[in-house]
Amino acid sequence: MAADPAVYVPDHSLVSQLSSANLSVETIRMNRFAARCRLSSAVLALCAGLSLPVASMAQTVTAAPPAQPLVRYDIGDSIFTPVWAGRGMVSSEHRLATQVGVDILKKGGNAVDAAVAVGFALAVVLPNAGNIGGGGFMVVHDAASGKDVAIDFREMAPAKAGRDMYLDGQGKVVAERSLYTHLAVGIPGTVAGLAHAQAKYGKLTLADVIAPAIRLAEEGFEVSPQLAGLLEVEKDHLAKWDATRAIFFKGDQPLRAGDMLVNKDLAESLKQIAANGPKAFYEGTIATRIAEEMGRHGGLITTDDLKAYKVVEREPVAGSYRGYTVKSMPPPSSGGTHIIQMLNVLERFPLKDMGSDSARTIHVMAETMKLAYADRSEYLGDPDFTKVPVKGLTSRGYAEELAKKIDPEKATPASGIKPGKPQPYESDQTTHFSVADDQGNVVATTYTLNLNFGSGIVAAGTGILLNNEMDDFSAKPGVPNAFGLVGGDANAIQPYKRPLSSMSPTIVLKDGKPWLITGSPGGSRIITTTMETIIDHIDFGMNPAESAASPRVHHQWTPDELRVEKGLSPDTVTLLQQMGHKVVVKPTMGRTQTIQVLPTGLYGYSDPRNPDGATAGY
């Protein structure tokens, strides 16, 4: 790994020199290999016989220091190599959606056009998380103006929603009422959000960018082993509803790998949106069918609720870390605020010297995570309904106070940590995709249905899976939600309020220009996964592939456990335990989609934790 991440160039040291000659990727690779191997004039002549340009290569070879071996076996230090592209790149959780985005870029669309197209395509090919029946967040960097904007299309609670709607007569939370019933569904925001971004920041028409999704829904696509496994795991929830079974089942069993998934009703819904814009969803036939679905099963969403939905543009929460600028999603996401809060604390520790995945690095990260998640439980909520002390939480002065609480040799029990006092410093299943174009525009988008396939409910006649985002509210202060997160009054249920989220679409800038675009699904683990990705690149000089392949850790204050993925050294685990951490190995965390922008091009990688993901460019 490179010592200086700011100048790290994975395997493309000659790309900028050679690209001006319009050489193919294969030619560039041959030139690069020749230069690194210090090839002899005889070999250079052979290359010339293959019609490979060698003038610049010969110059490089001539300048090589003497007494070097003619051929080197080891030609680079990257263990995992990211995807490279010279102009535009898309990184998403499904190869078909990624290709849709790349095709849009090739046709002259910008990063927003491609992102919106990917968003609609994922609603078809990634039904467990991609959606038009959920909501999310988008962070856009506009190259022309240099401005960054956060687009909030998070779901909202219906007008009839109330603080105690998930409690029984004894004041206890009713199991699964906020997850797998029609009461779990919040007013969807995805269609409004994507359409808003397209109209304001895109170049193409909404019909242009929806067309590929319509084709995929109408013609169908082959179910992958990954999707088949998810359908099998969630079949009990999905099988409850006739409209859901009609799409995802063959007879009494869910679709299997190799089966074709066709969703004609969703194709028709997408056609209506393409023709009539978001009104088709919020005021047209689709709205009527969603409201009728709610009415048949005791749900709360009405046509008036759908018509009342609004997208909100917000100022991204911003901070700096070791000279880089970090822009991420503000409340009602807790992600951006706590990423910056944690980075502010961790900047006070020499992580680079301590080493990636060392016990000392993991220890201070875990202690920092505890402090941030304790604050999350107390202060974070919808800023349109409650005062969120973002400035205090992201203040460097507050970070200094938090850093003093960290014992470098010993873990502090969660029971000994309480929410701090940031005020004096005031002056889910989810998917993420990242896009960069050749004009300098970048987009980071994270959107969700909450759990896999959301509520599992398809609104009859629409083909649209509906979310179960109401679970992200605090059903009762102090009672954990599906991800084990606890919340307080700031996140209590109120009509038209947006539930607190962990989604953290993030852009890192260097000298005012995009340098890293990243984000992840993963519920409560989104925040720590995204933060670790930033640290991997800045502190440890990793490329997107190396970062994605690194083991992740997570602590969310309660439960009091340091969750880790397999792959950590047993010695490291032992040292952490000796420090007082309750280390538990659990399933993988996050599925990042990361693009790094360097002078030599775009480098990206789709997290190997999801085998269906793909990064591509041109």
Side-chain angles (χ1 to χ4, degrees):
M1 288 174 282
D4 181 1
V7 297
Y8 174 64
V9 182
D11 296 330
H12 286 279
S13 58
L14 297 182
V15 171
S16 59
Q17 178 183 356
L18 298 170
S19 60
S20 60
N22 296 317
L23 305 183
S24 69
V25 172
E26 289 77 11
T27 302
I28 291 171
R29 285 174 178 162
M30 287 293 294
N31 278 271
R32 182 182 70 245
F33 182 80
R36 287 186 174 176
C37 293
R38 313 300 204 268
L39 297 184
S40 67
S41 57
V43 176
L44 292 178
L46 176 62
C47 290
L50 296 173
S51 300
L52 295 177
V54 297
S56 62
M57 180 173 62
Q59 182 179 5
T60 304
V61 174
T62 301
Q68 294 291 327
L70 291 180
V71 175
R72 289 181 177 176
Y73 180 77
D74 300 313
I75 60 172
D77 58 8
S78 295
I79 297 174
F80 298 95
T81 304
V83 176
W84 176 85
R87 297 187 64 184
M89 180 170 282
V90 178
S91 183
S92 89
E93 282 204 70
H94 200 286
R95 59 179 180 81
L96 293 175
T98 291
Q99 191 57 54
V100 164
V102 172
D103 289 344
I104 290 291
L105 290 174
K106 288 181 177 179
K107 290 177 181 177
N110 64 16
V112 173
D113 294 313
V116 173
V118 170
F120 280 110
L122 287 170
V124 181
V125 299
L126 193 77
N128 57 295
N131 70 85
I132 61 172
F137 304 125
M138 178 183 286
V139 178
V140 178
H141 174 81
D142 179 68
S145 64
K147 292 183 178 179
D148 304 291
V149 63
I151 302 174
D152 177 357
F153 55 98
R154 180 71 159 150
E155 300 89 340
M156 297 168 64
K160 295 179 181 177
R163 182 186 181 97
D164 299 330
M165 62 185 287
Y166 299 124
L167 306 184
D168 62 18
Q170 287 72 48
K172 296 181 179 179
V173 176
V174 179
E176 298 196 349
R177 183 182 289 179
S178 66
L179 292 174
Y180 302 115
T181 74
H182 287 68
L183 288 173
V185 184
I187 306 168
T190 295
V191 172
L194 296 181
H196 173 91
Q198 180 64 39
K200 191 165 182 180
Y201 302 102
K203 294 169 59 179
L204 308 180
T205 68
L206 188 61
D208 289 335
V209 298
I210 294 180
I214 295 171
R215 184 180 65 254
L216 286 166
E218 204 158 41
E219 297 176 0
F221 64 98
E222 189 174 294
V223 173
S224 69
Q226 174 80 0
L227 177 55
L230 291 170
L231 289 168
E232 178 65 27
V233 168
E234 301 293 342
K235 66 181 179 181
D236 291 345
H237 296 130
L238 300 175
K240 295 177 183 177
W241 314 106
D242 292 342
T244 306
R245 284 200 309 273
I247 299 168
F248 299 109
F249 280 60
K250 182 187 289 186
D252 293 332
Q253 295 300 317
L255 296 175
R256 295 187 173 134
D259 288 339
M260 292 296 290
L261 198 167
V262 178
N263 193 338
K264 298 284 188 181
D265 284 345
L266 180 56
E268 180 57 36
S269 293
L270 291 169
K271 287 177 183 178
Q272 292 180 36
I273 296 167
N276 302 306
K279 279 193 174 183
F281 187 95
Y282 294 95
E283 300 181 37
T285 303
I286 299 171
T288 300
R289 287 177 174 166
I290 291 174
E292 288 173 349
E293 177 72 30
M294 293 291 115
R296 283 192 295 269
H297 300 280
L300 300 183
I301 296 175
T302 65
T303 53
D304 287 341
D305 289 328
L306 288 159
K307 191 174 181 179
Y309 185 84
K310 301 294 181 187
V311 176
V312 180
E313 283 200 4
R314 304 187 189 276
E315 183 74 20
V317 61
S320 65
Y321 183 69
R322 305 198 197 279
Y324 293 78
T325 300
V326 181
K327 298 284 186 80
S328 191
M329 198 67 205
S333 169
S334 62
T337 299
H338 292 309
I339 286 171
I340 290 171
Q341 178 186 12
M342 290 189 288
L343 289 174
N344 284 344
V345 174
L346 290 169
E347 194 169 27
R348 287 157 172 76
F349 295 90
L351 300 187
K352 180 179 177 180
D353 295 336
M354 291 160 65
S356 172
D357 292 336
S358 72
R360 288 191 176 278
T361 292
I362 294 172
H363 168 68
V364 297
M365 287 175 61
E367 295 300 283
T368 301
M369 291 171 186
K370 290 182 200 175
L371 294 165
Y373 277 81
D375 283 347
R376 184 189 189 278
S377 72
E378 179 75 14
Y379 298 114
L380 271 292
D382 185 342
D384 296 333
F385 285 77
T386 186
K387 171 64 176 174
V388 181
V390 173
K391 189 174 181 181
L393 289 166
T394 59
S395 161
R396 290 186 171 277
Y398 184 52
E400 185 70 37
E401 292 301 313
L402 294 179
K404 292 176 182 177
K405 298 180 180 181
I406 296 176
D407 185 331
E409 304 296 334
K410 185 177 180 182
T412 302
S415 59
I417 297 174
K418 305 298 179 187
K421 297 185 181 298
Q423 292 91 337
Y425 298 91
E426 282 281 295
S427 301
D428 353 355
Q429 190 60 0
T430 305
T431 185
H432 177 86
F433 48 98
S434 298
V435 182
D437 65 24
D438 60 355
Q439 302 156 52
N441 304 300
V442 303
V443 179
T445 305
T446 313
Y447 72 160
T448 185
L449 289 169
N450 197 24
L451 304 185
N452 276 322
F453 306 99
S455 63
I457 299 165
V458 169
T462 69
I464 299 170
L465 272 163
L466 298 173
N467 68 84
N468 55 1
E469 287 297 349
M470 293 294 287
D471 185 67
D472 275 356
F473 282 113
S474 298
K476 183 179 181 181
V479 176
N481 69 0
F483 292 100
L485 291 169
V486 297
D489 290 339
N491 193 36
I493 303 169
Q494 289 179 248
Y496 295 138
K497 188 176 184 179
R498 300 169 197 256
L500 185 60
S501 172
S502 296
M503 292 184 288
S504 312
T506 299
I507 296 170
V508 179
L509 301 104
K510 180 183 179 183
D511 300 326
K513 303 291 185 182
W515 182 77
L516 196 73
I517 310 104
T518 193
S520 175
S524 60
R525 280 87 64 186
I526 292 173
I527 303 171
T528 50
T529 295
T530 305
M531 182 197 73
E532 288 171 67
T533 301
I534 295 170
I535 287 173
D536 284 345
H537 285 79
I538 294 177
D539 286 291
F540 304 126
M542 295 185 188
N543 67 46
E546 291 166 329
S547 175
S550 298
R552 292 174 182 144
V553 302
H554 172 78
H555 204 305
Q556 62 183 53
W557 179 50
T558 178
D560 190 359
E561 63 180 29
L562 175 55
R563 175 173 175 165
V564 303
E565 295 179 331
K566 68 177 183 180
L568 285 183
S569 162
D571 293 340
T572 299
V573 172
T574 298
L575 288 170
L576 289 166
Q577 290 170 334
Q578 290 173 352
M579 290 179 176
H581 292 284
K582 300 172 184 176
V583 182
V584 294
V585 179
K586 287 190 174 182
T588 58
M589 295 178 279
R591 296 189 300 274
T592 52
Q593 305 296 327
T594 302
I595 297 174
Q596 188 175 21
V597 184
L598 294 174
T600 49
L602 303 167
Y603 299 84
Y605 206 70
S606 290
D607 201 311
R609 291 162 183 80
N610 174 17
D612 287 348
T615 295
Y618 77 110

